[in-house]
Amino acid sequence: MAFDLEPIIYPIGNMAENYENKRKVMLSGDQSVIELRQVQKKYAPEIVTLEEADLTISKGEFVFLTGPSGAGKSTLLRMLYKAEEPTGGSIIIDGVELSSLSKSQIPGLRRKVGVIFQDFKLLFNKTVFENVALSLEVLGLKKDQLSARVRQVVEGVGLSDKLHRKVIQLSGGEQQRVAIARAVVNRPPIILADEPTGNLDRKRTLEVVALMEELNARGATIMFATHDETLFKDTHRRVLRLKDGKIEEL
Amino acid sequence: MPLGIIFKRALRDIRQNLVTHIMTTIVVALTCLVFIFFSVFSLNLQRIADHFGKELAIVVYLKKDLSQEMIPSLYQKIMGMEGIDSVRFVSSEEAFKRLEKYFKDEKEVLEGVDPLFLPPSFEIQIDKAVYNPGRVRSIAEKLTHWPEVQKVQYGKDWVDRLESFSKAVKAAVVASAVLLLVMAAFVVSNTIKLTVYARQDEIEIMRLVGATNGFIQGPFLLASFLQGAVGSLTAIFAGLFCYEYVLNIITQTELIRSLNIQFLPLLNMFTIVIVSGIFCMAGTAMALRRFLTL
């Protein structure tokens, strides 16, 4: 594997700069990168997904988030990259209170948080290269810089021989690896994985877990949502269970 | 974000939906062509009105009992007014001679008539460089109030009608311009919306990986600007072609040739291209707003 999580040199736009400035002001000196304070998420009228949840995840941690289907794992992750808003409490990512972010600062947050989606969210009629490059294109990287970086990461997930294949021609496991490559290609310090092994067989599942462990070993903070208990049965990692709106530590 | 990337993405969008974009550009071109037709008509109507208006003279009839010594000072006074090109004095005798000339073979009707019965007058030509119907009226009104003056004639009705017709045509051109440009913008924004629908997945993913609204909107806005600009440019060329063709036919008559009918000035053409592009871009920006909530 050839992952490199040194921060990428972004051609920083205003919004990324704003986000960084806000982070410097708000960082309190501790090493927590994800923090939930009394977070509440309710859907009208009576569906409670999260109830006054508190959580702190430190820099470089690898945390499993588990719970039955429908417990709200995806909702919790979506709130962390501001695709959804909590109905109460506050969420702090890398020192920044998310409710204080303006619309123009949200892209800055999302560049710091790589997300691996359960349904991959890939463009199936585009090639592996084009899919992975999308995360760098939005940063305005130059063509040669972008190309080198994409090739390096695609090699890291073991798909260099399929770089110019359309995603639709790949197997489920390969597609998941493309999704991982896209999430990490811009070297985000936080990676959120939402059931990344949900559609994979055992062998591919273990490959994905190994990939995530390697990213973690290189410094990324990882939150790995899964309902597959075998993945963390014998692990030394922290495991959080989401049940009835509460986060329990196992 | 570098303009190069926006340009590349815009061209890719156009290439992927080439037929739709070509059809839209044709609609924009036809819309602009209608506007160009009205503009050329209005411009030349104004030119014709000016052409004939400049030939108008003001005739100032003087009181019959005015002494001859007053004539030179009155002449100087009129020449001193702003916007006067030339002044000619027509004595009562000269006016009578003109009348005789007018009657030609029926001169006998003037037999026994006092040759001094017609009042002396001044014929005033307005300076063509500063001509406008309002100026003619204002000079005529000033002259009416002079004590030496009996009556002033200047083709008032003609000037007034010309002025109001010219204003109405100008207003119609402005209204049609706004209406047609709004229509073009509507067509273009709907085409762009179709492209956005087709690429909704990609837009969602771009948002999730940290794309700014500018990055997402930029290519769509550029594509719509290009459609507006290319459409109007096509219309200008088509209009120019029609103009040359029609001109060759109608200038076979001496009268039309003397009117010197012209196409739009370069500045107007440039303005049409830019304004059309901006209208199409603004229409698209409004259409995109609801697709781009974070």
Side-chain angles (χ1 to χ4, degrees):
Chain A
M1 300 291 176
F3 283 124
D4 174 11
L5 282 164
E6 286 299 303
I8 202 162
I9 299 158
Y10 298 131
I12 293 177
N14 279 345
M15 124 292 314
E17 210 164 8
N18 287 345
Y19 183 88
E20 277 305 311
N21 290 340
K22 188 159 275 194
R23 192 178 80 85
K24 280 173 195 158
V25 171
M26 296 182 79
L27 213 54
S28 54
D30 63 39
Q31 287 293 293
S32 67
V33 285
I34 300 175
E35 203 177 334
L36 273 65
R37 292 182 190 157
Q38 299 284 298
V39 172
Q40 210 175 42
K41 181 69 184 176
K42 285 181 183 169
Y43 292 100
E46 289 172 346
I47 305 161
V48 180
T49 305
L50 270 182
E51 204 167 15
E52 294 177 356
D54 289 303
L55 174 68
T56 303
I57 296 174
S58 301
K59 190 177 177 184
E61 257 195 286
F62 188 129
V63 178
F64 283 103
L65 177 68
T66 189
S69 294
K73 301 187 289 295
S74 298
T75 305
L76 173 58
L77 295 187
R78 284 171 63 76
M79 287 194 289
L80 297 183
Y81 58 89
K82 217 165 161 59
E84 271 192 58
E85 296 292 333
T87 41
S90 58
I91 298 174
I92 296 148
I93 299 289
D94 200 19
V96 177
E97 156 95 61
L98 295 194
S99 62
S100 72
L101 289 182
S102 66
K103 275 189 178 178
S104 64
Q105 289 169 324
I106 294 174
L109 164 75
R110 291 182 182 165
R111 291 173 187 191
K112 297 194 119 227
V113 181
V115 186
I116 302 161
F117 302 95
Q118 189 175 7
D119 58 355
F120 308 154
K121 289 206 190 297
L122 295 172
L123 297 165
F124 289 92
N125 61 347
K126 293 197 185 287
T127 64
V128 170
F129 181 91
E130 288 168 332
N131 269 277
V132 178
L134 197 61
S135 291
L136 296 179
E137 272 182 22
V138 304
L139 303 174
L141 245 65
K142 283 183 182 158
K143 201 176 171 184
D144 49 346
Q145 215 180 346
L146 178 147
S147 178
R149 182 71 195 142
V150 171
R151 282 169 198 280
Q152 187 189 7
V153 173
V154 170
E155 193 187 331
V157 295
L159 288 173
S160 32
D161 56 330
K162 290 172 180 168
L163 191 66
H164 297 294
R165 283 254 188 103
K166 289 202 169 173
V167 167
I168 200 162
Q169 297 168 325
L170 305 180
S171 69
E174 288 168 333
Q175 288 176 354
Q176 187 59 286
R177 281 187 276 160
V178 177
I180 294 171
R182 189 192 57 203
V184 303
V185 72
N186 61 344
R187 302 166 184 167
I190 301 165
I191 296 169
L192 306 175
D194 187 5
E195 298 274 10
T197 58
N199 302 309
L200 305 181
D201 61 27
R202 196 73 202 152
K203 185 170 172 268
R204 298 296 177 204
T205 296
L206 294 176
E207 275 178 17
V208 168
V209 174
L211 267 174
M212 303 304 284
E213 299 227 331
E214 187 183 339
L215 289 166
N216 178 242
R218 289 174 182 273
T221 304
I222 294 183
M223 198 164 185
F224 191 115
T226 179
H227 63 268
D228 182 356
E229 299 207 351
T230 62
L231 293 182
F232 51 81
K233 206 167 74 180
D234 300 317
T235 187
H236 60 285
R237 310 283 190 194
R238 211 171 143 200
V239 181
L240 306 168
R241 185 190 297 279
L242 195 55
K243 201 180 171 191
D244 300 327
K246 305 270 186 210
I247 298 175
E248 301 166 358
E249 200 125 355
L250 294 184
Chain B
M1 187 184 43
L3 266 176
I5 293 179
I6 293 184
F7 217 86
K8 214 174 84 183
R9 293 180 74 87
L11 291 180
R12 194 191 64 187
D13 286 347
I14 291 172
R15 219 175 28 242
Q16 281 174 353
N17 300 288
L18 195 61
V19 178
T20 320
H21 280 98
I22 287 175
M23 295 307 287
T24 312
T25 308
I26 290 172
V27 173
V28 173
L30 290 173
T31 312
C32 289
L33 194 59
V34 175
F35 168 66
I36 287 168
F37 170 76
F38 278 128
S39 297
V40 171
F41 177 72
S42 160
L43 183 86
N44 283 291
L45 189 76
Q46 188 65 51
R47 288 174 57 81
I48 292 167
D50 285 357
H51 178 79
F52 286 119
K54 282 173 185 173
E55 303 304 320
L56 277 180
I58 300 175
V59 182
V60 181
Y61 294 103
L62 305 172
K63 286 181 177 159
K64 273 189 193 169
D65 52 359
L66 194 73
S67 73
Q68 287 292 317
E69 291 79 51
M70 297 283 288
I71 303 297
S73 65
L74 265 176
Y75 176 88
Q76 288 303 328
K77 208 171 155 189
I78 295 172
M79 276 304 281
M81 289 173 85
E82 204 184 341
I84 303 294
D85 182 50
S86 62
V87 179
R88 187 170 183 277
F89 176 70
V90 180
S91 65
S92 298
E93 293 88 343
E94 193 182 340
F96 190 75
K97 275 180 193 158
R98 282 185 189 179
L99 195 64
E100 280 183 330
K101 207 173 166 188
Y102 180 77
F103 280 112
K104 275 187 194 169
D105 300 335
E106 289 102 27
K107 260 200 289 190
E108 57 273 17
V109 298
L110 296 174
E111 271 174 26
V113 176
D114 179 4
L116 297 175
F117 90 99
L118 291 169
S121 61
F122 281 115
E123 286 175 356
I124 303 169
Q125 287 293 332
I126 303 297
D127 186 353
K128 292 181 184 178
V130 295
Y131 167 82
N132 72 52
R135 186 182 291 271
V136 176
R137 190 192 300 120
S138 131
I139 293 172
E141 272 168 13
K142 269 186 203 160
L143 290 166
T144 311
H145 295 109
W146 289 9
E148 302 88 347
V149 171
Q150 185 188 331
K151 191 181 175 186
V152 177
Q153 273 186 348
Y154 67 100
K156 182 176 182 297
D157 291 349
W158 202 86
V159 170
D160 287 351
R161 243 179 271 149
L162 190 70
E163 196 177 18
S164 58
F165 183 63
S166 175
K167 271 184 190 164
V169 171
K170 262 187 199 166
V173 168
V174 171
S176 73
V178 173
L179 205 70
L180 291 169
L181 282 172
V182 166
M183 204 175 104
F186 179 74
V187 173
V188 170
S189 71
N190 274 292
T191 311
I192 299 291
K193 253 199 269 183
L194 288 178
T195 315
V196 173
Y197 277 127
R199 291 189 41 211
Q200 242 174 339
D201 289 347
E202 190 178 341
I203 290 172
E204 189 199 350
I205 294 167
M206 283 199 284
R207 251 189 253 131
L208 292 173
V209 297
T212 58
N213 268 350
F215 183 87
I216 297 170
Q217 275 187 352
F220 294 121
L221 294 179
L222 184 63
S224 55
F225 180 84
L226 288 176
Q227 282 187 328
V230 171
S232 54
L233 210 57
T234 310
I236 286 170
F237 281 117
L240 208 54
F241 176 77
C242 294
Y243 161 78
E244 292 290 346
Y245 181 76
V246 173
L247 204 65
N248 275 336
I249 297 169
I250 62 171
T251 48
Q252 285 166 8
T253 63
E254 182 56 41
L255 176 69
I256 302 282
R257 212 174 10 249
S258 72
L259 295 177
N260 190 20
I261 289 174
Q262 289 190 349
F263 195 64
L264 299 175
L266 202 61
L267 181 68
N268 290 29
M269 291 192 251
F270 181 73
T271 309
I272 289 173
V273 173
I274 297 297
V275 170
S276 168
I278 289 173
F279 256 74
C280 292
M281 200 162 76
T284 302
M286 281 193 275
L288 285 178
R289 269 167 65 189
R290 73 187 180 93
F291 288 97
L292 293 173
T293 47
L294 285 160

